[in-house]
Structure formats: structure tokens, C-alpha cells
Amino acid sequence: QVQLVESGGGSVQAGGSLRLSCTPSRVTYLGYSMAWFRQAPGKEREGVAALASDGRTRYADSVKGRIAISKDNAVNTLYLQMNSLESEDTAMYYCAAAPAPPSSLRLLQSTTYNYWGQGTQVTVSS
């Protein structure tokens, strides 16, 4: 089975930046669509950013202009660069992957993805 491991979370002040990383075990990210989701206590899991295997990207409206998803094939790592962080960004962030490219309308839907990481906590203090 594919296993995903997230890292890079932590506690930052509002307006600060973090870069999350996700690495798979046993497989390469090549050919996979990938995404970042987040879930805060008492809230539903929501899609933050997605990168399809064909290069398509999609971002949640709440993070556009502040967050960027990218992939470094040389080190087989997925990144989520987060800038201008707000208290509303506080959540557990999860990496997800799927072997088939989803339609654009499903790119930020959690049911699209087959494999999930264990999560990394991001806390933004005001």
C-alpha cells in the first residue's frame, strides 16, 4: 500500500509562513494526482490545494494568493507553501494522492483520493 508522510507543521504568528512536505513510501509521485486537505476541530475536512497528474491546479477560495502547491520530482516530495497565515488556517493538514486524474470539479473533493497521510498540525497564533 502507498503510505504518505507529512512534515513541516508547527506554530507560527499570524502573517508568518510555513512549508509543508509530503513524501510517499514504496512509490513515486509521478503519475499521481495529489492534494492537501485540512480539518479543524468541529469542522468538515476541506480541500486546500490540488495538483493533478496532468498539471492542473485548484485552490480553495479562502487561500488563493497565499498558498501554493508544488512538486519536486527529483526528491519525490510534494509541498504546500503557506504565506500570510491567518488564525483561520489553524488545522490538521493532510496529504492525499490518487493514481487517476480527477475531473476539475472533483479536484478538491476528499472522495477523489485513495491514499492519505497521518497529518501535520498547523497552529497560527494572533
Side-chain angles (χ1 to χ4, degrees):
Q1 292 183 315
V2 175
Q3 296 183 12
L4 307 175
V5 180
E6 303 98 334
S7 63
S11 181
V12 299
Q13 292 291 115
S17 299
L18 284 174
R19 188 178 73 166
L20 308 184
S21 300
C22 175
T23 57
S25 64
R26 305 172 186 174
V27 300
T28 175
Y29 276 142
L30 291 174
Y32 279 77
S33 293
M34 294 159 286
W36 288 95
F37 290 78
R38 67 186 181 187
Q39 187 168 25
K43 294 185 177 181
E44 297 291 328
R45 183 171 298 184
E46 63 174 346
V48 177
L51 175 61
S53 58
D54 61 7
R56 289 174 292 128
T57 60
R58 186 168 181 176
Y59 295 92
D61 290 340
S62 61
V63 304
K64 287 181 179 178
R66 301 189 297 114
I67 293 180
I69 187 171
S70 63
K71 181 177 65 176
D72 187 338
N73 291 330
V75 294
N76 202 31
T77 300
L78 178 74
Y79 299 104
L80 187 71
Q81 178 66 49
M82 304 189 292
N83 302 317
S84 301
L85 286 166
E86 305 167 355
S87 59
E88 292 78 11
D89 296 316
T90 296
M92 184 73 75
Y93 283 72
Y94 299 91
C95 175
S103 61
S104 294
L105 59 87
R106 298 190 66 233
L107 211 49
L108 289 178
Q109 296 180 2
S110 60
T111 53
T112 295
Y113 298 92
N114 308 97
Y115 307 105
W116 294 83
Q118 296 175 329
T120 185
Q121 179 68 39
V122 171
T123 301
V124 183
S125 302
S126 61

mmCIF file with all atom_site columns, all heavy atoms in Angstrom, residues 78 96 106:
data_model
loop_
_atom_site.group_PDB
_atom_site.id
_atom_site.type_symbol
_atom_site.label_atom_id
_atom_site.label_alt_id
_atom_site.label_comp_id
_atom_site.label_asym_id
_atom_site.label_entity_id
_atom_site.label_seq_id
_atom_site.pdbx_PDB_ins_code
_atom_site.Cartn_x
_atom_site.Cartn_y
_atom_site.Cartn_z
_atom_site.occupancy
_atom_site.B_iso_or_equiv
_atom_site.pdbx_formal_charge
_atom_site.auth_seq_id
_atom_site.auth_comp_id
_atom_site.auth_asym_id
_atom_site.auth_atom_id
_atom_site.pdbx_PDB_model_num
ATOM 1  N N   . LEU A 1 78  ? 6.063   16.394 -2.311 1.00 0.00 ? 78  LEU A N   1
ATOM 2  C CA  . LEU A 1 78  ? 5.005   17.363 -2.546 1.00 0.00 ? 78  LEU A CA  1
ATOM 3  C C   . LEU A 1 78  ? 5.090   18.444 -1.482 1.00 0.00 ? 78  LEU A C   1
ATOM 4  O O   . LEU A 1 78  ? 5.300   18.144 -0.307 1.00 0.00 ? 78  LEU A O   1
ATOM 5  C CB  . LEU A 1 78  ? 3.643   16.673 -2.487 1.00 0.00 ? 78  LEU A CB  1
ATOM 6  C CG  . LEU A 1 78  ? 2.415   17.565 -2.679 1.00 0.00 ? 78  LEU A CG  1
ATOM 7  C CD1 . LEU A 1 78  ? 2.281   17.974 -4.141 1.00 0.00 ? 78  LEU A CD1 1
ATOM 8  C CD2 . LEU A 1 78  ? 1.158   16.841 -2.200 1.00 0.00 ? 78  LEU A CD2 1
ATOM 9  N N   . ALA A 1 96  ? -2.786  13.898 0.333  1.00 0.00 ? 96  ALA A N   1
ATOM 10 C CA  . ALA A 1 96  ? -3.576  12.854 -0.292 1.00 0.00 ? 96  ALA A CA  1
ATOM 11 C C   . ALA A 1 96  ? -3.103  12.612 -1.716 1.00 0.00 ? 96  ALA A C   1
ATOM 12 O O   . ALA A 1 96  ? -2.575  13.516 -2.368 1.00 0.00 ? 96  ALA A O   1
ATOM 13 C CB  . ALA A 1 96  ? -5.062  13.227 -0.293 1.00 0.00 ? 96  ALA A CB  1
ATOM 14 N N   . ARG A 1 106 ? -13.892 17.723 -9.253 1.00 0.00 ? 106 ARG A N   1
ATOM 15 C CA  . ARG A 1 106 ? -13.661 16.812 -8.135 1.00 0.00 ? 106 ARG A CA  1
ATOM 16 C C   . ARG A 1 106 ? -12.262 16.944 -7.555 1.00 0.00 ? 106 ARG A C   1
ATOM 17 O O   . ARG A 1 106 ? -11.889 16.173 -6.661 1.00 0.00 ? 106 ARG A O   1
ATOM 18 C CB  . ARG A 1 106 ? -13.902 15.367 -8.560 1.00 0.00 ? 106 ARG A CB  1
ATOM 19 C CG  . ARG A 1 106 ? -15.325 15.076 -9.003 1.00 0.00 ? 106 ARG A CG  1
ATOM 20 C CD  . ARG A 1 106 ? -15.544 13.579 -9.184 1.00 0.00 ? 106 ARG A CD  1
ATOM 21 N NE  . ARG A 1 106 ? -15.455 12.871 -7.918 1.00 0.00 ? 106 ARG A NE  1
ATOM 22 C CZ  . ARG A 1 106 ? -14.656 11.826 -7.704 1.00 0.00 ? 106 ARG A CZ  1
ATOM 23 N NH1 . ARG A 1 106 ? -13.889 11.364 -8.668 1.00 0.00 ? 106 ARG A NH1 1
ATOM 24 N NH2 . ARG A 1 106 ? -14.647 11.246 -6.510 1.00 0.00 ? 106 ARG A NH2 1
#
